[in-house]
Amino acid sequence: MFAPVPRDHTYCFYRKTDKFGVQSDDTKICVVMVGLPARGKSLIAGKALRYLHWVGIPAQIFNVGTYRRMDTPHPAAGFFDPSNPEGERMRRAAVQAARSDLLKWFKEGRGVVAFLDATNSTKARRAWIHKCCHDKGIETLFVESTCDSEEIIMNNILEVKTTSPDYRGQDPEVAAQDFRNRIRNYEKIYETIDESEKSYTYVKLINVGSTVVINQIKDYISSRLVYYIQNLHIRPRSIWLSRHGESEFNLGSKIGGDSDLSVRGEAYARALPGLLKQSGIPAGAKLIIWTSTLKRTIQTARHLAAESGYEKLEWKALDELDSGVCDGLTYEEIAERYPQDFAARDEDKYNYRYRGGESYRDVVIRLEPIIMELERSENVIIVTHQAVLRCIYAYFHNMSQEQSPWMEVPLHTLIKLTPHAYGTEEQRFKANIPAVSTWRSKGSSAKHQASTDS
Amino acid sequence: MFAPVPRDHTYCFYRKTDKFGVQSDDTKICVVMVGLPARGKSLIAGKALRYLHWVGIPAQIFNVGTYRRMDTPHPAAGFFDPSNPEGERMRRAAVQAARSDLLKWFKEGRGVVAFLDATNSTKARRAWIHKCCHDKGIETLFVESTCDSEEIIMNNILEVKTTSPDYRGQDPEVAAQDFRNRIRNYEKIYETIDESEKSYTYVKLINVGSTVVINQIKDYISSRLVYYIQNLHIRPRSIWLSRHGESEFNLGSKIGGDSDLSVRGEAYARALPGLLKQSGIPAGAKLIIWTSTLKRTIQTARHLAAESGYEKLEWKALDELDSGVCDGLTYEEIAERYPQDFAARDEDKYNYRYRGGESYRDVVIRLEPIIMELERSENVIIVTHQAVLRCIYAYFHNMSQEQSPWMEVPLHTLIKLTPHAYGTEEQRFKANIPAVSTWRSKGSSAKHQASTDS
């Protein structure tokens, strides 16, 4: 009944068979970040890493600052002065250590995309990295972030002085001033990517993507990565996630289907506008409502749309995981009728696909455009289904494929996610309207199971 | 059983409910082509138009040359000399006529995206168009194509002198020389988009997308359009389409499922490598095989992959249209069990969605990444299913949504598509291995129906 997909032969975008497909079998891409301090390089690398993990591509960040901090945990700005030979020597040692770990990581076959997160501010440095990679059959993709908006830079400086380990425990004002001086030291030697480097594959993000320059993109993964990066923005916003209200099928412990809301589900739909307001929406903020095309999510968002006048969109891609031949059955019935496959799904829930239906991996594939659009968007509330919500949630919290399909998402609860530079803040708001629990732990086929958080 | 989706409220990307969704209700985008003659502007506009039609967005091209030809069908190069006042006056009249038809088209609510296809070579002209559009609430997206590769320009000149109505019936050598002179006249005044126009939304394609500059993209449709345009290439290639060989389910006249090939289907699988060779593959060309994740397409491509050593990819997005509760039934059974819905599907086959399954529109949504990847790729053979093949075919031949779901695609036939600048060339190769016909005409529930071309 369930068709297993071997894990190490699969990307989100497609199922690899003989080879990595559009990519050659031994695709290795080194993403080389380029930019002055406080230009969002680590933020971009961090988000891109999370995206790659989510689509199933093994990736890792090699941050030169981390290597440098092993020897010099709290350097003053003068350490970064290009005329300081001792600083220069130690910084070179750090980048060399990062480089050799990165090459080792590729050599051991541990992944497909490595990020070299550092300023890489000169043409000479970039040529050296390009040569090191090229000699080992590794493609390079340079990602430069430049910025002439004082406001954006100041916000980044404020962020850094409060979060960087370099300034831990220091007076914030002193830290900010020192950091400005550090930037000035880098500016002395900084060379932006230009014509002379047009043989490289690169993308330049100018003022957080308001202008984007893309040069010589050749392979599939780079193309997807660049499209992802060009959709990023840093305007403050939140994303709200909710399952539909309790449905008739939930009451009967049946999975799938396209049933109406139960009486209690309808009560949740009526409570949702208040719950959203209670969660806090910035004054004057615009919000868009996304639902699936199934009745239970449309009914759940009905009052929200009517009362608020917010725009509303139905996405087929937000429909529940298709359980194929098991659609309309209870877990008990599935366990009875297909005991072997029920056990096999428990074994690897992420990859197992219902006959005529989908796996979690399949759902991630069809959610990829949703994630792209979410990155482009500002405030969005998504009313969808348990499995789909798990996948979206896994993206924001960088959850593993082993963990996310088992995550508990109670009914009648609104989740508010607010992305920040270094992580996603989460708040949960319960409507206090009773509902059945639809959560099933590994190995269980219980009709209802007590929610762990109720 | 079938859930109708109102046609005028729908885009491919999502189902619109109250409004155009991520777009505001009255989204109007004027795509203004910019570039010297022979830079592929009409080609880009034509492909983008086809893409928009395919995803369900009403669009139209307003080609200034067409308006100019009404008065001046065969102008000599001197007509385009900026110091020729009569030529200047008539060319201005042509652009004004195109502009006013374009504004009228928007005013009458006839579409979302209009292309103004002309050289639009000066900043003054672009400022004028921007103002005309802005005054009417129309967004502008400037698409500039520049090129410094002599080879590409020469190829375009050769194309133009043989296809342009301006040179109909003329000596090709004289035409080519005149066209070169015309380009020189445009070069006298040509101004590329630069810093001074950074408040505009624009994309610059340099040397057919080897470098792409993207500026100030704001709305969803523009974002998709720009991603599409940046994936285009002009390297010669072909795309082969084939349905799987006859399956056990085909023999039993059942739809859907995941059955094995019949004996005759297996014979087609063995014949496919020879059929492909017979169709003509350029010497030394690389080819990639794409199949769905269902057994009948994988089995059909099996010998092809084994004999050729070509790379092979399985895409979930290429799986057959999901017929939900009707999966495994015959058309007769569907007509018996669900007579009303059977008729309703006949009424609007493109939009009707099987319960728990998909519509053709849904299939187009999930095929969109496939089309993007097809545009990026070179030679590809796609072994897939009837409905999916119809959707892909509709993209290449700009078929209407009314027509494409009824198109006949016989089993055991290889279709070779070769895209050219002004259309797609098609050849069909029959394996001469008998198979049932799975084609059903509107209103019929016949078990088998004689194929119209057999």
Side-chain angles (χ1 to χ4, degrees):
Chain A
M1 171 183 178
F2 299 109
V5 180
R7 186 170 314 172
D8 59 339
H9 273 216
T10 321
Y11 286 161
C12 163
F13 302 125
Y14 45 80
R15 196 194 307 175
K16 186 175 70 107
T17 48
D18 301 338
K19 297 195 174 181
F20 270 170
V22 181
Q23 304 296 129
S24 75
D25 202 4
D26 51 355
T27 298
K28 300 180 185 118
I29 302 167
C30 180
V31 179
V32 186
M33 304 307 297
V34 175
L36 290 167
R39 262 61 178 184
K41 295 183 301 299
S42 298
L43 175 63
I44 296 164
K47 291 199 81 159
L49 180 84
R50 187 150 62 79
Y51 168 73
L52 291 172
H53 280 170
W54 187 71
V55 296
I57 296 175
Q60 191 162 316
I61 293 174
F62 296 84
N63 180 302
V64 174
T66 309
Y67 287 84
R68 186 258 303 147
R69 267 187 289 276
M70 292 175 193
D71 293 319
T72 319
H74 305 294
F79 180 83
F80 300 94
D81 190 328
S83 64
N84 172 349
E86 180 59 11
E88 176 74 11
R89 194 189 60 76
M90 294 186 77
R91 287 186 295 124
R92 177 171 292 273
V95 77
Q96 274 165 344
R99 181 204 72 134
S100 75
D101 277 3
L102 183 151
L103 295 178
K104 189 158 159 265
W105 183 81
F106 274 127
K107 198 174 169 192
E108 289 169 356
R110 291 170 64 193
V112 175
V113 181
F115 295 83
L116 185 64
D117 185 8
T119 54
N120 297 311
S121 20
T122 64
K123 289 177 198 288
R125 170 62 53 87
R126 296 193 288 268
W128 176 71
I129 294 166
H130 183 266
K131 189 179 177 313
C132 292
C133 288
H134 186 261
D135 289 350
K136 306 282 180 192
I138 301 163
E139 301 284 324
T140 46
L141 166 61
F142 293 92
V143 177
E144 181 178 17
S145 177
T146 72
C147 189
D148 54 24
S149 153
E150 271 306 316
E151 193 193 337
I152 297 173
I153 296 169
M154 270 316 295
N155 280 337
N156 282 345
I157 290 175
L158 290 174
E159 184 81 37
V160 167
K161 81 174 184 193
T162 50
T163 59
S164 168
D166 284 355
Y167 296 111
R168 193 160 292 150
Q170 295 192 23
D171 176 278
E173 278 318 297
V174 176
Q177 189 50 50
D178 183 84
F179 193 59
R180 270 189 222 101
N181 290 337
R182 185 195 295 193
I183 295 173
R184 233 160 267 142
N185 276 324
Y186 274 105
E187 280 170 347
K188 291 176 192 166
I189 52 158
Y190 189 75
E191 297 167 307
T192 190
I193 295 178
D194 64 19
E195 262 307 272
S196 70
E197 288 166 285
K198 74 175 174 188
S199 65
Y200 297 165
T201 295
Y202 67 78
V203 52
K204 280 179 82 147
L205 303 164
I206 302 162
N207 290 330
V208 203
S210 70
T211 307
V212 180
V213 182
I214 299 165
N215 191 64
Q216 305 284 10
I217 300 293
K218 288 178 209 97
D219 68 282
Y220 184 61
I221 291 176
S222 297
S223 145
R224 301 302 305 186
L225 200 51
V226 166
Y227 184 56
Y228 175 78
I229 289 172
Q230 79 193 51
N231 281 324
L232 298 178
H233 70 78
I234 52 164
R235 295 182 292 281
R237 53 91 174 251
S238 293
I239 288 150
W240 289 262
L241 304 175
S242 174
R243 291 176 65 188
H244 53 81
E246 184 187 71
S247 72
E248 295 290 350
F249 261 42
N250 290 150
L251 278 182
S253 297
K254 294 177 182 176
I255 67 168
D258 189 15
S259 66
D260 290 309
L261 293 183
S262 71
V263 173
R264 298 192 297 191
E266 179 56 32
Y268 177 68
R270 281 194 307 273
L272 194 52
L275 206 57
L276 180 69
K277 200 174 276 174
Q278 182 201 328
S279 78
I281 306 169
K286 266 188 70 178
L287 208 138
I288 301 179
I289 304 164
W290 293 359
T291 68
S292 76
T293 66
L294 297 170
K295 284 191 286 183
R296 55 197 185 277
T297 66
I298 296 169
Q299 290 173 3
T300 303
R302 186 168 46 190
H303 301 289
L304 194 59
E307 289 182 23
S308 63
Y310 293 139
E311 282 186 49
K312 222 180 78 186
L313 276 186
E314 294 167 21
W315 297 83
K316 175 79 177 160
L318 290 173
D319 282 3
E320 181 56 309
L321 186 146
D322 184 351
S323 45
V325 294
C326 295
D327 190 80
L329 301 183
T330 66
Y331 283 125
E332 269 178 319
E333 287 167 338
I334 299 173
E336 269 169 42
R337 294 190 200 177
Y338 310 102
Q340 267 198 319
D341 298 303
F342 191 75
R345 186 164 195 249
D346 265 15
E347 192 53 47
D348 185 359
K349 196 173 176 187
Y350 188 83
N351 286 299
Y352 274 82
R353 175 184 286 159
Y354 284 99
R355 183 187 305 192
E358 294 179 301
S359 64
Y360 272 82
R361 184 177 295 282
D362 293 331
V363 172
V364 164
I365 296 175
R366 66 163 150 98
L367 283 176
E368 207 234 353
I370 294 278
I371 292 297
M372 289 284 186
E373 189 49 24
L374 257 186
E375 285 299 344
R376 283 179 40 77
S377 301
E378 301 194 7
N379 298 297
V380 181
I381 173 165
I382 304 175
V383 181
T384 181
H385 307 265
Q386 181 163 258
V388 172
L389 201 149
R390 282 173 176 153
C391 293
I392 296 173
Y393 187 92
Y395 167 75
F396 282 103
H397 281 300
N398 205 8
M399 275 171 97
S400 71
Q401 298 178 351
E402 287 70 35
Q403 211 185 342
S404 61
W406 296 104
M407 177 201 157
E408 202 185 341
V409 194
L411 286 166
H412 300 180
T413 304
L414 182 65
I415 302 175
K416 182 184 182 185
L417 300 176
T418 307
H420 294 295
Y422 297 97
T424 300
E425 184 192 334
E426 176 175 337
Q427 294 169 280
R428 294 199 177 202
F429 302 87
K430 287 176 180 265
N432 293 322
I433 294 165
V436 298
S437 164
T438 59
W439 180 70
R440 185 183 71 80
S441 69
K442 208 160 171 164
S444 155
S445 64
K447 195 177 164 192
H448 288 186
Q449 225 175 346
S451 159
T452 53
D453 75 343
S454 68
Chain B
M1 170 184 177
F2 299 108
V5 180
R7 188 168 315 171
D8 58 339
H9 273 215
T10 320
Y11 286 161
C12 164
F13 302 127
Y14 44 80
R15 196 193 310 175
K16 186 174 70 108
T17 48
D18 301 338
K19 296 197 175 180
F20 270 170
V22 181
Q23 304 295 129
S24 76
D25 202 3
D26 51 357
T27 299
K28 298 180 186 121
I29 302 168
C30 179
V31 178
V32 185
M33 304 307 297
V34 176
L36 289 167
R39 262 61 178 183
K41 296 183 300 298
S42 297
L43 175 64
I44 296 164
K47 291 200 80 159
L49 180 84
R50 187 151 61 79
Y51 168 73
L52 291 171
H53 280 169
W54 187 71
V55 295
I57 295 175
Q60 191 161 318
I61 293 174
F62 296 84
N63 180 303
V64 172
T66 308
Y67 287 85
R68 187 258 304 146
R69 267 187 288 277
M70 291 174 194
D71 292 319
T72 319
H74 305 294
F79 179 82
F80 300 94
D81 190 326
S83 63
N84 171 349
E86 179 61 9
E88 176 75 12
R89 193 188 60 74
M90 294 185 76
R91 287 186 295 123
R92 176 170 294 273
V95 77
Q96 275 167 343
R99 180 204 72 133
S100 77
D101 277 3
L102 183 152
L103 296 179
K104 190 158 158 265
W105 183 82
F106 274 126
K107 198 174 170 193
E108 290 169 354
R110 292 170 62 193
V112 176
V113 181
F115 295 83
L116 185 64
D117 186 8
T119 54
N120 298 311
S121 22
T122 64
K123 289 177 197 287
R125 170 62 54 85
R126 296 192 289 268
W128 175 71
I129 294 166
H130 183 265
K131 189 180 179 312
C132 292
C133 288
H134 187 261
D135 289 351
K136 305 282 181 193
I138 301 164
E139 301 285 324
T140 47
L141 165 61
F142 292 92
V143 177
E144 180 177 18
S145 177
T146 72
C147 190
D148 54 25
S149 152
E150 270 307 315
E151 193 193 337
I152 297 173
I153 296 169
M154 271 315 296
N155 280 337
N156 282 345
I157 290 175
L158 289 174
E159 184 81 38
V160 167
K161 80 174 184 194
T162 50
T163 59
S164 167
D166 282 356
Y167 296 111
R168 193 160 291 152
Q170 293 192 24
D171 176 279
E173 278 318 299
V174 176
Q177 188 51 51
D178 183 86
F179 193 59
R180 269 189 222 102
N181 290 338
R182 185 195 294 191
I183 295 174
R184 232 161 268 143
N185 276 325
Y186 273 106
E187 281 170 346
K188 291 177 192 167
I189 52 157
Y190 189 75
E191 296 167 310
T192 190
I193 296 178
D194 64 18
E195 260 310 89
S196 70
E197 287 166 287
K198 73 175 175 187
S199 65
Y200 296 164
T201 295
Y202 67 78
V203 51
K204 279 180 83 149
L205 303 164
I206 301 162
N207 290 330
V208 202
S210 70
T211 307
V212 180
V213 182
I214 300 165
N215 192 63
Q216 304 284 10
I217 301 294
K218 289 178 207 96
D219 66 282
Y220 184 60
I221 291 177
S222 297
S223 145
R224 301 303 303 185
L225 200 51
V226 165
Y227 184 56
Y228 175 79
I229 289 172
Q230 79 193 49
N231 281 324
L232 298 179
H233 69 79
I234 53 164
R235 295 181 293 280
R237 53 90 173 253
S238 293
I239 289 150
W240 288 262
L241 303 175
S242 174
R243 292 177 62 189
H244 54 81
E246 184 187 72
S247 72
E248 295 290 350
F249 260 42
N250 291 150
L251 278 181
S253 295
K254 293 177 182 175
I255 67 168
D258 189 14
S259 66
D260 291 308
L261 293 183
S262 71
V263 173
R264 299 191 297 193
E266 180 55 32
Y268 178 68
R270 281 194 307 273
L272 193 53
L275 206 58
L276 181 69
K277 200 174 276 174
Q278 182 200 329
S279 80
I281 307 169
K286 266 188 68 176
L287 208 138
I288 300 180
I289 304 163
W290 293 0
T291 69
S292 77
T293 66
L294 297 170
K295 285 192 285 184
R296 55 196 186 276
T297 66
I298 295 168
Q299 290 173 4
T300 303
R302 185 168 46 188
H303 302 289
L304 193 60
E307 289 182 23
S308 63
Y310 294 140
E311 283 185 51
K312 223 179 77 186
L313 277 185
E314 294 167 22
W315 297 83
K316 175 81 177 159
L318 290 173
D319 282 2
E320 182 54 311
L321 186 146
D322 183 352
S323 44
V325 293
C326 295
D327 191 79
L329 301 183
T330 66
Y331 284 126
E332 271 177 317
E333 288 168 337
I334 300 173
E336 269 169 42
R337 295 192 199 174
Y338 310 102
Q340 267 197 320
D341 298 304
F342 191 75
R345 187 165 194 247
D346 266 15
E347 192 53 48
D348 185 358
K349 196 173 176 186
Y350 188 83
N351 285 299
Y352 275 80
R353 175 184 286 158
Y354 283 100
R355 183 188 304 192
E358 293 179 301
S359 64
Y360 272 83
R361 183 177 294 283
D362 292 331
V363 173
V364 164
I365 297 175
R366 67 163 149 98
L367 283 177
E368 207 233 353
I370 295 278
I371 292 298
M372 289 284 186
E373 188 50 23
L374 258 185
E375 285 299 347
R376 282 179 40 77
S377 301
E378 301 196 5
N379 298 297
V380 181
I381 174 165
I382 305 175
V383 181
T384 180
H385 307 265
Q386 180 163 258
V388 172
L389 201 149
R390 281 172 176 153
C391 293
I392 296 174
Y393 187 92
Y395 168 76
F396 282 104
H397 281 301
N398 205 8
M399 276 171 95
S400 72
Q401 299 179 352
E402 287 70 33
Q403 212 184 340
S404 61
W406 296 104
M407 178 201 157
E408 202 185 341
V409 193
L411 285 167
H412 300 180
T413 305
L414 183 64
I415 302 174
K416 183 184 181 186
L417 300 176
T418 306
H420 294 294
Y422 296 97
T424 299
E425 184 192 334
E426 175 175 336
Q427 294 168 281
R428 295 198 177 202
F429 302 87
K430 284 174 183 265
N432 293 322
I433 295 167
V436 298
S437 165
T438 59
W439 181 70
R440 184 183 72 81
S441 68
K442 209 162 171 163
S444 155
S445 63
K447 194 178 164 192
H448 288 187
Q449 222 174 347
S451 157
T452 53
D453 73 342
S454 66

